[in-house]
Amino acid sequence: MNITLTGASGLIGGRLVENLRKAGHTLTVLSRRPADGLAEGIAGVIWDPMQGPPPEEGLRHADAVIHLAGEPVAQRWSENVKRRIRNSRVVGTRNLVAGIAKLRNRPGVLVSASAVGYYGSRGEEELRESAAPAHSYLADVCTEWEREACAAEGLGLRVVPIRIGVVLDAHGGALKSMLPPFRMGVGGRLGDGRQWMSWIHLADLAAMFEYALEHPVRGAWNGAAPGAVRNAEFTRELARALHRPAVFPVPTLALKLLYGEMAEILLASQRVVPAAALAAGFRFQFPELAGALADVLG
Ligand SMILES: NC(=O)c1ccc[n+]([C@@H]2O[C@H](COP(=O)([O-])OP(=O)(O)OC[C@H]3O[C@@H](n4cnc5c(N)ncnc54)[C@H](OP(=O)(O)O)[C@@H]3O)[C@@H](O)[C@H]2O)c1
């Protein structure tokens, strides 16, 4: 297959590029930066999602498009940063779909990132894909982001937005920033630790994107493992995997002082169930946290 990817230089994109290349696909990468460090055989096309549709050469031969690009969410949210987080996704996705609309031969499928932030904070509720979205800054961004991606359905594409949870990998994302304090033995639960955390091993998430490309599925998927845990349990498992104590809880107030409004991500309770993926026959290699952490940290 000819596959065009955005956000290929990021945590998830990097793993996907590696897997898709090994599987023999032909890849084109759309990036804001020149294609310098790209592996042999991968075509690079410069595209800034905020500046309009991608150049036609970036999409012309695509059978499938994977869309991951977006301003990092894990940073202090000033008004400026919030605008960039939203626009890079909402306007960026709109521009990508406008580029697809201009093609004579359109790709068959768009698999696009979204986030479990779609659901807001929902206590004990089990969140399948049919659950209604919340209304908060981040939930609204996710809703609009998915709406822009799903506009490609009107162009004849199959669209699968994947609502991603906390991606587990030792070399990037949330876990990488949690490791130093946990390794020093000063890790601990966040707030009261009762909030549900929906996580997924990077290998499973990459496999899920590939599965959605290759199977006749459409509509949103939850990109989280079946074994969601409370933050306190996550903390215990991580400490156990590292053979360290984790007895220093971080109070809610400290998180709010440290991270401002972004602390809501760390404190939100999201008990996500990957119902659509399981129903479509997708099998997780790492359904439970202990196994996922052992692999990631092993
Ligand atoms: N990792 C997670 O735990 C997680 C959880 C939920 C949702 N997601 C979503 O999944 C997607 C990929 O995640 P990731 O962790 O792989 O992200 P990442 O490592 O931060 O990479 C995202 C990519 O987006 C592009 N980008 C960054 N800032 C941008 C901006 N202001 N405007 C346009 N493009 C920009 C960059 O590509 P170029 O520099 O090549 O242009 C970058 O490589 C993101 O949209 C993220 O929100 C991730």
Side-chain angles (χ1 to χ4, degrees):
M1 241 195 289
N2 287 315
I3 303 173
T4 293
L5 296 102
T6 77
S9 55
L11 174 68
I12 300 167
R15 177 66 68 97
L16 264 170
V17 164
E18 208 180 298
N19 292 0
L20 294 169
R21 247 183 105 225
K22 279 191 194 141
H25 298 292
T26 304
L27 307 182
T28 301
V29 160
L30 296 173
S31 171
R32 295 165 304 161
R33 291 169 294 167
D36 293 347
L38 284 180
E40 217 188 303
I42 300 181
V45 173
I46 292 188
W47 174 54
D48 183 336
M50 293 304 299
Q51 300 303 317
E56 201 200 326
E57 59 181 306
L59 289 168
R60 196 185 294 142
H61 302 296
D63 303 305
V65 178
I66 295 180
H67 179 41
L68 300 165
E71 171 78 16
V73 173
Q75 55 178 315
R76 246 189 120 88
W77 294 350
S78 64
E79 285 310 307
N80 226 344
V81 165
K82 281 166 84 170
R83 204 170 309 120
R84 282 208 305 275
I85 290 173
R86 178 196 175 272
N87 289 349
S88 60
R89 291 177 171 75
V90 177
V91 179
T93 307
R94 187 179 305 154
N95 283 335
L96 177 66
V97 172
I100 294 172
K102 288 203 244 168
L103 300 170
R104 199 171 320 133
N105 296 314
R106 293 182 185 140
V109 54
L110 168 64
V111 185
S112 186
S114 177
V116 296
Y118 176 89
Y119 300 112
S121 184
R122 304 280 274 263
E124 300 298 305
E125 188 181 345
E126 291 195 346
L127 298 164
R128 292 179 178 72
E129 290 82 357
S130 54
H135 291 290
S136 63
Y137 162 71
L138 203 59
D140 291 347
V141 168
C142 294
T143 303
E144 284 187 86
W145 187 13
E146 289 188 15
R147 190 181 301 139
E148 296 295 342
C150 288
E153 286 272 353
L155 302 172
L157 282 77
R158 204 161 57 70
V159 180
V160 187
I162 300 195
R163 296 177 186 150
I164 303 168
V166 178
V167 178
L168 298 188
D169 183 66
H171 307 292
L175 189 61
K176 185 183 170 202
S177 35
M178 289 163 82
L179 284 176
F182 274 83
R183 284 201 164 117
M184 287 191 287
V186 293
R189 62 164 204 261
L190 304 179
D192 67 11
R194 290 188 54 74
Q195 68 275 30
W196 286 93
M197 277 178 73
S198 291
W199 56 272
I200 184 165
H201 190 301
L202 179 59
D204 273 335
L205 181 63
M208 195 183 263
F209 270 82
E210 291 179 63
Y211 198 90
L213 280 187
E214 288 163 0
H215 292 77
V217 295
R218 57 193 345 126
W221 279 23
N222 284 336
V229 293
R230 293 184 194 277
N231 173 266
E233 188 181 341
F234 188 95
T235 302
R236 265 195 310 276
E237 287 294 345
L238 180 56
R240 186 173 302 146
L242 293 168
H243 309 293
R244 291 283 186 281
V247 290
F248 293 94
V250 191
T252 301
L253 183 62
L255 287 169
K256 288 187 175 160
L257 288 173
L258 206 57
Y259 297 111
E261 199 183 343
M262 197 278 278
E264 80 180 40
I265 296 188
L266 307 170
L267 296 165
S269 186
Q270 291 154 338
R271 191 180 187 179
V272 164
V273 180
L278 292 173
F282 179 77
R283 292 291 165 260
F284 286 83
Q285 195 185 344
F286 301 101
E288 298 302 329
L289 184 62
L293 285 176
D295 183 76
V296 163
L297 300 171

